[in-house]
């Protein structure tokens, strides 16, 4: 199982150079993937721009949106151009797009994008992206990765299963537990098989972490405020399942690996780049 790391973009960071130091350290320590989350109504950095900077600061590590709120990108051709440009900047096979319809209505209100039809808009975007990345048409550049970057889809709906089977390479689960994967993975594999897809869908899970003497305070501050929109109970649940001790992290890796997870990504909650090294030391990178 691959082990990736996520930028602490939803935490209280103040300088973009800090995130690029995370990227450089993540590659130097041997993490498989560098991911970045997405929100409009928050200080989270824009994912494609952030990964473009990370692409310039690194040369090997995979780059992942985890997850990008796809329907907010209402100009589908312009979105496809941004994706193919980033794929060119990163080089073949490095960029992966984790995509989801989004669950927070305020992100859509601020975008003046209709929340109620976001699923339909998402499907239209996917069709346009596929058409542009597969042809040498007027919208360029062409992607460095043949056919465009790999697509992973978030969510646990029937529409998610359909999108994985028709456009995707697999599933990405945020704030995931082992039980989440055990519950949904059989449905993904069945949808994949029914669609006649070769091979197996990729299963990626992301979890929250912070390490060191201030880990619990960092988790409470970052996650508590980030998920406050869903109420205190949900925020406290997010805090409770985050990892703050080396023993928890080692146990999580073993548990996710045992159930067939292909990649586990630890999302940062403390902006200090030393967090990259602390995690690397715990898992032996």
């Amino acid at each position: 199982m691959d082990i990736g790391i996520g930028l602490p973009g939803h935490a209280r960071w103040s300088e973009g150079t800090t995130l690029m130091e995370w990227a450089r350290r993540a590659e130097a320590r041997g993490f498989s993937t560098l991911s970045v989350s997405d929100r409009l109504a928050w200080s989270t950095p824009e994912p494609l721009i952030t990964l473009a900077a990370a692409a310039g600061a690194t040369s090997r590590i995979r780059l992942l949106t985890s997850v990008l709120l796809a329907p907010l990108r209402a100009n589908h051709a312009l979105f496809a151009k941004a994706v193919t440009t980033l794929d060119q900047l990163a080089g073949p096979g490095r960029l992966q797009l984790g995509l989801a319809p989004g669950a927070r209505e305020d992100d859509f209100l601020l975008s003046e994008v209709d929340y109620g039809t976001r699923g339909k808009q998402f499907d239209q975007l996917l069709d346009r992206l596929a058409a542009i990345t597969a042809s040498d048409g007027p919208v360029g550049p062409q992607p460095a990765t043949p056919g465009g970057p790999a697509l992973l889809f978030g969510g646990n709906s029937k529409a998610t299963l359909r999108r994985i089977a028709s456009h995707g390479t697999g599933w990405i689960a945020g704030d995931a537990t082992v039980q989440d994967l055990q519950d949904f993975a059989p449905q993904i594999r069945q949808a994949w098989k029914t669609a006649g897809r070769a091979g197996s869908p990729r299963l990626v899970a992301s979890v929250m972490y912070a390490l060191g003497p201030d880990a619990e305070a960092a988790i409470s501050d970052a996650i508590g405020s980030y998920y406050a929109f869903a109420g205190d109970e949900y925020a406290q649940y997010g805090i409770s399942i985050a990892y703050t001790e080396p023993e928890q992290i080692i146990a999580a890796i073993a548990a996710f690996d045992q159930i067939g997870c292909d990649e586990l990504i630890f999302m940062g909650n403390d902006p200090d780049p030393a967090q990259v090294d602390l995690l690397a030391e715990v898992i032996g990178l």
Side-chain angles (χ1 to χ4, degrees), residues 20 24 29 53 56 77 91 136-137 144 188 199 212 245:
M20 291 308 97
R24 286 187 285 268
R29 294 306 298 252
D136 188 14
I188 298 169
E245 298 291 341

Side-chain angles (χ1 to χ4, degrees), residues 59-116:
S59 61
R60 301 181 305 277
I61 194 168
R62 290 195 297 261
L63 307 170
L64 171 69
T65 58
S66 175
V67 292
L68 186 140
L69 307 180
L72 296 184
R73 279 70 186 180
N75 186 322
H76 300 163
L78 184 59
F79 171 70
K81 188 178 185 72
V83 167
T84 59
T85 300
L86 177 52
D87 195 62
Q88 279 285 349
L89 294 173
R94 288 185 70 195
L95 177 62
Q96 300 177 84
L97 297 179
L99 305 171
R104 282 195 50 152
E105 192 167 0
D106 58 350
D107 288 328
F108 289 82
L109 288 172
L110 288 168
S111 296
E112 299 182 354
V113 173
D114 183 56
Y115 181 76

Side-chain angles (χ1 to χ4, degrees), residues 10-12 42 215-227 239 269 271:
H10 65 283
R12 298 181 190 275
W42 198 255
E216 291 188 4
I219 289 288
S220 180
D221 182 54
I223 297 178
S225 55
Y226 189 64
Y227 286 137
I239 292 170
N269 287 270

Side-chain angles (χ1 to χ4, degrees), residues 65-197:
T65 58
S66 175
V67 292
L68 186 140
L69 307 180
L72 296 184
R73 279 70 186 180
N75 186 322
H76 300 163
L78 184 59
F79 171 70
K81 188 178 185 72
V83 167
T84 59
T85 300
L86 177 52
D87 195 62
Q88 279 285 349
L89 294 173
R94 288 185 70 195
L95 177 62
Q96 300 177 84
L97 297 179
L99 305 171
R104 282 195 50 152
E105 192 167 0
D106 58 350
D107 288 328
F108 289 82
L109 288 172
L110 288 168
S111 296
E112 299 182 354
V113 173
D114 183 56
Y115 181 76
T117 60
R118 67 193 186 284
K120 180 179 180 180
Q121 296 175 68
F122 192 3
D123 290 333
Q124 291 172 347
L125 178 146
L126 291 174
D127 289 340
R128 190 70 186 278
L129 178 63
I132 288 173
T133 55
S135 66
D136 188 14
V139 178
Q142 286 297 292
T145 304
L151 306 183
L152 299 164
F153 292 97
N156 54 11
S157 66
K158 290 182 179 179
T160 298
L161 293 170
R162 171 176 53 78
R163 291 175 186 127
I164 291 171
S166 62
H167 290 88
T169 57
W171 182 52
I172 183 165
D175 284 350
T177 65
V178 168
Q179 191 62 53
D180 292 334
L181 264 71
Q182 288 179 315
D183 288 345
F184 201 55
Q187 298 178 60
I188 298 169
R189 294 188 178 108
Q190 183 58 53
W192 190 269
K193 181 179 179 181
T194 300
R197 298 287 301 273

Side-chain angles (χ1 to χ4, degrees), residues 247-261:
E247 296 79 9
Q248 295 174 329
I249 288 173
I250 292 169
I253 291 172
F256 278 95
D257 187 31
Q258 186 175 18
I259 63 167
C261 183

